[in-house]
Amino acid sequence: MDKRAQEGPGEPGGQGGQSGQGSQGVQGGSGLHARVLEALGPAITAGDYPPGSVLRTDEMEERFEVSRSVVREVIRVLESMHLVASRRRVGVTVLPPEEWNVYDPRVIRWRLAGPDRPRQLRSLTVLRSAIEPVAAGLAARLATPAQCAELTEHALGMVATSRGQQLERYLVHDIAFHRVILRASGNEMFARLGDVVAEVLTGRTHHQVMFTDPDPAAVTLHVRVAEAVRERDAERAEALTREIATGAMAELDVLAP
């Protein structure tokens, strides 16, 4: 069967579809796009294709058994992440890590799945240490009653799922808690880091960089942060969140040395 026929008429990059914008095109696209992207992206971030490597579209078509339109759409997504650049008379070239969009959630996910995981976790934890305490202090001043209620709900959810090796259920509340803190800060730049924090927490859980049950002290700190925000105590909210970040770094020293 012709490769283009396999794409289907309504899939992004196919004959009858419209190309997506950036990573959204593949997220909402076919399994073909996702399969190629999820092979190339992690390979690039893991160093299998060193900076300066040239990716030939004809070789990728043959390797993945897909059409040129699928390969081109995947390349557009990788370009949007600044992992590669298309250059005339050269082709698709892998860029050095300092040019990558390291805040892209999928780039974070791929790097956490690779050999550089310990350094990546530390880098992201340092970022969180710089941002989240400030965000918590702002949230104590600006959070709405609904956001305060959300924080309390998820803090209590973390308590309820912190025993009995319920890490996946705990993760849901943990991510939601930190998203609320960032949103409640009233700073749109902080709020956009919600996906970054979600990928960090998810990566730690899925790659076993967590104890089988969360540290009780850390769980308690989340409850106390929710209380400080609800009581409009900005100084205490910031200090407690800084303690959470310090504890997270200490755990990495044990679990991802």
Side-chain angles (χ1 to χ4, degrees):
M1 181 182 293
D2 183 80
K3 294 171 187 172
R4 288 170 175 78
Q6 295 177 30
E7 292 177 50
E11 293 169 352
Q15 297 298 311
Q18 296 178 349
S19 297
Q21 296 296 319
S23 59
Q24 294 299 319
V26 170
Q27 288 175 336
S30 71
L32 293 175
H33 294 85
R35 176 168 62 84
V36 178
L37 182 66
E38 291 297 328
L40 283 177
I44 291 171
T45 58
D48 295 344
Y49 296 97
S53 300
V54 176
L55 306 179
R56 293 177 54 88
T57 55
D58 54 346
E59 291 177 356
M60 287 188 281
E61 288 176 53
E62 183 175 351
R63 173 186 170 188
F64 295 107
E65 299 182 333
V66 295
S67 69
R68 181 160 298 184
S69 64
V70 170
V71 172
R72 284 175 174 169
E73 179 64 23
V74 170
I75 293 302
R76 280 195 288 270
V77 176
L78 294 174
E79 284 180 316
S80 75
M81 299 173 175
H82 297 179
L83 297 183
V84 302
S86 298
R87 294 172 176 146
R88 291 186 62 186
R89 298 192 181 91
V90 176
V92 179
T93 307
V94 176
L95 295 174
E98 55 266 27
E99 295 190 38
W100 297 350
N101 179 5
V102 293
Y103 291 103
D104 186 294
R106 200 138 24 162
V107 173
I108 292 172
R109 190 183 318 152
W110 293 337
R111 295 180 74 191
L112 288 177
D116 201 28
R117 182 185 305 140
R119 190 173 70 86
Q120 168 76 341
L121 281 171
R122 279 171 174 74
S123 178
L124 290 163
T125 302
V126 169
L127 173 68
R128 293 183 61 198
S129 300
I131 298 298
E132 290 193 71
V134 177
L138 290 170
R141 298 183 181 96
L142 302 172
T144 65
Q147 288 170 330
C148 290
E150 275 190 85
L151 274 182
T152 299
E153 175 189 348
H154 292 301
L156 294 177
M158 292 172 72
V159 172
T161 56
S162 63
R163 288 290 172 267
Q165 300 182 22
Q166 303 180 71
L167 286 181
E168 288 295 334
R169 295 178 64 194
Y170 179 88
L171 176 63
V172 172
H173 292 291
D174 197 8
I175 289 173
F177 181 94
H178 290 280
R179 283 191 186 277
V180 175
I181 287 287
L182 292 167
R183 287 200 317 270
S185 72
N187 184 302
E188 75 281 5
M189 305 294 286
F190 288 178
R192 287 300 301 273
L193 291 174
D195 288 344
V196 172
V197 173
E199 288 297 340
V200 178
L201 296 173
T202 300
R204 287 190 59 187
T205 300
H206 292 172
H207 296 295
Q208 291 79 52
V209 193
M210 285 277 289
F211 296 113
T212 52
D213 283 329
D215 177 17
V219 178
T220 299
L221 282 171
H222 284 76
V223 174
R224 293 175 64 195
V225 169
E227 291 173 349
V229 170
R230 189 173 63 250
E231 294 169 4
R232 306 302 182 188
D233 190 335
E235 185 175 343
R236 185 158 60 100
E238 182 170 344
L240 291 168
T241 305
R242 202 172 302 282
E243 281 190 57
I244 292 173
T246 300
M249 186 64 81
E251 282 190 8
L252 291 181
D253 291 338
V254 175
L255 297 170

